[in-house]
Amino acid sequence: MRITIDTEKGRIILPKNFFIQLDKMNKILAEAGSDKKWTAEDYVKEQFEKAMKETMLRPEDI
């Protein structure tokens, strides 16, 4: 899932299917007996923290 950070407007832009995917992940967690439930903010924050540990790339580097 690709998430965009708009530095000009200071906001995060989520794809149209983001909340559908988040609901699916939360359903899987619940079915597995987990008490964890992702919020959009928690999920984006964790993914951002993971990504910051990696090398930053240009589109042509992918």
Side-chain angles (χ1 to χ4, degrees):
M1 190 173 348
R2 295 189 186 260
I3 297 169
T4 304
I5 298 174
D6 185 333
T7 58
E8 291 177 7
K9 295 185 179 180
R11 61 184 176 186
I12 295 173
I13 303 165
L14 303 172
K16 289 182 181 183
N17 69 339
F18 177 83
F19 290 98
I20 294 168
Q21 294 298 322
L22 194 65
D23 288 342
K24 287 179 183 178
M25 288 187 287
N26 283 329
K27 183 179 179 186
I28 291 168
L29 288 170
E31 289 172 353
S34 175
D35 290 335
K36 181 165 184 67
K37 184 171 181 179
W38 288 109
T39 64
E41 293 81 6
D42 290 338
Y43 184 78
V44 170
K45 185 181 224 180
E46 183 166 311
Q47 298 310 308
F48 183 79
E49 289 170 357
K50 283 184 194 176
M52 287 301 295
K53 293 176 184 172
E54 300 295 325
T55 303
M56 292 194 189
L57 303 171
R58 296 170 294 201
E60 59 269 16
D61 295 336
I62 313 178

